[in-house]
Amino acid sequence: MSQSVCLASFQKSDSKYLQLLDFAKEVKAGDSTFREGIGAKIYSGELFDNFYRNNKNEDIINSSLNYGYAVLRSGITSLQ
């Protein structure tokens, strides 16, 4: 849900903002519907213009985002 608010604050696409809000409501435990992953792809594409992954092993932006996300998610999960 925070990703959609971030897109709205940067005045990005309204349709993507609403789509991310819908996805946030549909995420299941273990992300069995892949909504979290699809939402991340939409978010990255909107926030970082022309975001494209050539080779995920050589892409420093994507690797940094993945690392940051893992740290954030583990911190949030440990609070629950």
Side-chain angles (χ1 to χ4, degrees), residues 23-24 26-40 69 73:
F23 279 4
E26 297 173 1
V27 173
K28 306 287 185 214
D31 197 22
S32 60
T33 61
F34 303 107
R35 292 294 188 235
E36 193 172 356
I38 296 168
Y69 179 77
R73 190 166 196 276

Side-chain angles (χ1 to χ4, degrees), residues 1-69:
M1 185 170 299
S2 295
Q3 292 173 331
S4 61
V5 173
C6 180
L7 288 183
S9 71
F10 283 106
Q11 298 178 343
K12 297 290 183 173
S13 169
D14 285 342
S15 65
K16 299 297 183 184
Y17 160 79
L18 295 173
Q19 188 176 17
L20 286 177
L21 281 177
D22 288 341
F23 279 4
K25 296 173 191 170
E26 297 173 1
V27 173
K28 306 287 185 214
D31 197 22
S32 60
T33 61
F34 303 107
R35 292 294 188 235
E36 193 172 356
I38 296 168
K41 183 176 180 179
I42 292 169
Y43 174 72
S44 298
E46 287 294 309
L47 190 61
F48 305 106
D49 294 329
N50 299 319
F51 182 79
Y52 178 73
R53 290 174 45 185
N54 290 331
N55 181 340
K56 65 180 180 180
N57 295 323
E58 296 176 9
D59 185 352
I60 190 68
I61 294 172
N62 190 59
S63 296
S64 299
L65 289 169
N66 284 341
Y67 176 76
Y69 179 77

Side-chain angles (χ1 to χ4, degrees), residues 66-79:
N66 284 341
Y67 176 76
Y69 179 77
V71 170
L72 264 171
R73 190 166 196 276
S74 66
I76 291 168
T77 302
S78 68
L79 296 174

